[in-house]
Amino acid sequence: MRDEELIQSILQGDGEKYAVIVDRYQTRLYRTAYYYAGNVEDARDLTQEILIKAYNSLAKFKHGSAFSTWLYRIAVNHCIDWSRKKRPRCEEATCLLNLSDGEAGPEERFLRQERAAEVHRAVGCLPERYSTVLMLYYFEEWTPQEIAFILAISKRTVETRLSRGRKMLREKIPLKQAGGVCHDLFSQSG
Amino acid sequence: MTCFRSRDRWHSYVVKSLSRMEMREMETHLERCAECRARVAAIRETSGFLAVARVPLIAPPMIKDQVMAAIDMGKYRAKAGFPRFGQGLQHLGFSLLAAGIILLMVNLTPVGRNLRSGEVADLNVQFGKEIALPFTHLSQTLSVAAEKFGLMGRGQDEMGSWVPGKE
C-alpha cells in the first residue's frame, strides 16, 4: 500500500494503519536523529517525538506532494530546534556505535570508526545550513530536488550550499588516508 | 572557476535526478569542459569518502510501541464522521445560494404555454401564498415568543395577523 493511500485511510479513521508508516520510516528517522543527537538515547526520543508530531499534523499533509519529504521536513526542523536548545554547537567528540561490518578485523574496524567520528565531527562543526544539506545529500541520499522541498528552499540554493559546504569540509579535513594511499579526498576542483 | 555552468546542477546530475533532456545537455557539456568534469569527479569522490560515516543503525522496536501507545487512534475517526464547523458553514452558504437560485428560476419560468394570461396570474398568486405561508407562521411564532419573554408589546392588525407593538 502506498504512503498516500495509508494516510488517506488514517484520515478516514483507521488510526492503526499508522503502525505501517512507523515501520516504514523509523529506521531512517532514527539515523537522521542520531546525526543530530550523537547518542542513541536522544536519537530514540527524537524519533518518537517526530513520529508523534507527524501523526498529529497528518491533516495538514497536502496530497500531491511526497509523504516522505513532508515527514522529513518535520524531522529536520524538529532536530534543528532540538540541537539549538540542547546540544552545544560543536562537540569535541562524537561517540559512534559499531559502524563496521562483521567482516572487518578489529584494527580496520577501529580505524573506520575513528574516520567516521572525525567526519561526523567535521560535518557537525559546519554552520547548520551547510551541515544539514551535506547530511541529507551524502548520508541520507536525498536528491537536491527533495532537499529543496524538505528545507523549503530553492534547488539552486541547495546546489550552492552543497558546493560551499564541501569546500568548508575540505578545509577541516584536508588530507585523509584511504586504502593505504595518502591523497586529498576533497580535490581542489569545486 | 571559469565555466559559467560550474555552479550549476552537478549534484543533481551525479544522482541522476534531472530530466532526460537535462541529463543529455549536461553530458554534452561535460564532454568538452574539463573544469566541470573535475567538479563531477570531486562530488563523486566526496560521496565515496563520506560513505564511511554513514551510520548503519536499526531503530529499536520500542520506538514503534511507544509511538503507537502515545498517539490518539481516534483523533481522525471523530473528524471523519462529522464535518468541521467551518465546513458546515461553507455548506450552509452554498445551500442558501442554491435555494435562492432555484426560487429565482421558479419565479422566472413560465408554468406552461397553454395557460391564458389570467390563469398564470392566478397561479402566481396561489404560489406566492404557498411560499409566504411558512414565513407568516414563523413571524407569528417569533412574535408570540417575544411577547412571552416581555421583549415587546403585541397586537393584531386589521387582517387579524399578530403584529409586534400593537395592543
Side-chain angles (χ1 to χ4, degrees), chain B residues 31-51:
Chain B
E31 281 170 15
R32 52 191 163 75
C33 181
E35 190 179 313
C36 287
R37 269 203 307 277
R39 185 173 172 77
V40 168
I43 293 170
R44 287 191 172 131
E45 209 170 16
T46 307
S47 188
F49 171 65
L50 292 184

Side-chain angles (χ1 to χ4, degrees), chain A residues 13-61:
Chain A
D14 191 358
E16 285 81 7
K17 286 257 167 64
Y18 196 62
V20 184
I21 295 282
V22 174
D23 271 337
R24 212 168 269 182
Y25 288 101
Q26 60 177 350
T27 290
R28 214 171 168 187
L29 290 172
Y30 182 57
R31 211 167 48 218
T32 300
Y34 183 82
Y35 285 124
Y36 283 92
N39 66 77
V40 286
E41 292 80 18
D42 286 333
R44 193 187 54 221
D45 291 347
L46 277 169
T47 310
Q48 283 170 14
E49 287 160 17
I50 291 161
L51 286 163
I52 293 167
K53 200 173 186 178
Y55 178 82
N56 290 330
S57 311
L58 274 183
K60 292 179 197 159
F61 170 65

Side-chain angles (χ1 to χ4, degrees), chain A residues 24-108:
Chain A
R24 212 168 269 182
Y25 288 101
Q26 60 177 350
T27 290
R28 214 171 168 187
L29 290 172
Y30 182 57
R31 211 167 48 218
T32 300
Y34 183 82
Y35 285 124
Y36 283 92
N39 66 77
V40 286
E41 292 80 18
D42 286 333
R44 193 187 54 221
D45 291 347
L46 277 169
T47 310
Q48 283 170 14
E49 287 160 17
I50 291 161
L51 286 163
I52 293 167
K53 200 173 186 178
Y55 178 82
N56 290 330
S57 311
L58 274 183
K60 292 179 197 159
F61 170 65
K62 289 186 181 75
H63 292 270
S65 58
F67 175 73
S68 57
T69 48
W70 180 82
L71 179 63
Y72 246 74
R73 184 183 280 191
I74 293 176
V76 169
N77 287 335
H78 192 77
C79 288
I80 289 173
D81 284 347
W82 181 89
S83 57
R84 279 177 188 163
K85 285 177 203 159
K86 299 275 174 69
R87 206 186 71 165
R89 183 67 204 102
C90 186
E91 286 185 337
E92 279 303 308
T94 309
C95 170
L96 291 173
L97 292 180
N98 183 13
L99 300 176
S100 309
D101 52 71
E103 289 171 18
E107 195 183 345
E108 171 67 12

Side-chain angles (χ1 to χ4, degrees), chain B residues 7-142:
Chain B
R7 296 194 184 281
D8 215 355
R9 303 153 283 177
W10 294 119
H11 288 90
S12 302
Y13 172 80
V14 167
V15 292
K16 297 182 174 70
S17 71
L18 295 170
S19 70
R20 200 177 297 171
M21 205 173 77
E22 284 174 312
M23 286 294 285
R24 207 176 305 137
E25 187 192 326
M26 293 181 87
E27 272 159 15
T28 312
H29 175 76
L30 274 186
E31 281 170 15
R32 52 191 163 75
C33 181
E35 190 179 313
C36 287
R37 269 203 307 277
R39 185 173 172 77
V40 168
I43 293 170
R44 287 191 172 131
E45 209 170 16
T46 307
S47 188
F49 171 65
L50 292 184
V52 297
R54 283 186 197 139
V55 185
L57 286 175
I58 293 170
M62 63 184 299
I63 289 183
K64 183 181 168 186
D65 298 340
Q66 290 187 354
V67 167
M68 293 313 285
I71 61 172
D72 172 14
M73 298 269 197
K75 181 179 168 78
Y76 297 108
R77 201 173 295 149
K79 283 183 180 169
F82 300 99
R84 280 181 292 175
F85 183 67
Q87 281 178 338
L89 278 182
Q90 198 180 12
H91 292 161
L92 179 68
F94 279 121
S95 306
L96 286 173
L97 186 67
I101 291 168
I102 290 168
L103 279 175
L104 189 70
M105 285 168 69
V106 165
N107 272 338
L108 294 177
T109 308
V111 177
R113 288 174 181 226
N114 299 333
L115 292 174
R116 289 190 298 266
S117 57
E119 287 174 333
V120 171
D122 289 345
L123 274 171
N124 272 344
V125 171
Q126 200 179 341
F127 193 60
K129 279 179 185 171
E130 280 174 18
I131 290 176
L133 200 61
F135 293 107
T136 311
H137 283 303
L138 184 67
S139 163
Q140 285 175 354
T141 312
L142 286 173

